[in-house]
Amino acid sequence: MSGTGYQTLLECRWRGRTLRAHGFTVDQIAMVLALDHAVSPLKLYRYANGLTATQVVTAFNDLDPSGAATLRESRLYDYEAWPAGGRRPSIWALALLAQIYGTAPTRLEPR
């Protein structure tokens, strides 16, 4: 993770903890973070949960019941760049990411 990206994640972790202490949901936290960070919903929800890409990839691969998932950080970054660039995640991948992030899959799609 680049220095700037990591600093952003640390800031978002702090804001997320503070907002959760005030009763905000992960969806509300993502909306607040969107005011300061012009990034995709997938990245906003990762930030709202205070997770690194490595943590998301590990959780994603652990959740696959068949044990065949092989998500890598580079693919997660591709997903997070969508729709401006990158690659659109499959419905199955969105469902698993939504489970990790504690939201509905539709919230992870750009509006």
Side-chain angles (χ1 to χ4, degrees):
M1 177 176 267
S2 72
T4 303
Y6 192 65
Q7 282 304 115
T8 301
L9 176 61
L10 292 177
E11 174 201 333
C12 291
R13 278 182 178 169
W14 176 81
R15 290 182 79 189
R17 278 193 304 271
T18 302
L19 293 170
R20 271 189 290 284
H22 286 85
F24 281 60
T25 67
V26 70
D27 294 321
Q28 292 169 326
I29 293 168
M31 280 194 281
V32 169
L33 295 178
L35 297 172
D36 295 326
H37 304 285
V39 297
S40 73
L42 281 167
K43 188 174 273 191
L44 280 174
Y45 274 86
R46 180 163 65 85
Y47 284 171
N49 281 279
L51 298 172
T52 65
T54 301
Q55 290 171 315
V56 172
V57 166
T58 300
F60 186 97
N61 292 333
D62 288 348
L63 282 174
D64 180 22
S66 71
T70 57
L71 181 67
R72 297 178 196 271
E73 286 183 39
S74 60
R75 176 67 62 183
L76 178 62
Y77 293 140
D78 277 346
Y79 289 165
E80 289 180 346
W82 171 73
R87 182 175 181 172
R88 185 189 194 288
S90 68
I91 300 294
W92 176 79
L94 278 176
L96 278 183
L97 290 168
Q99 186 176 349
I100 293 165
Y101 297 149
T103 192
T106 54
R107 296 243 183 208
L108 299 178
E109 295 180 336
R111 300 193 196 287

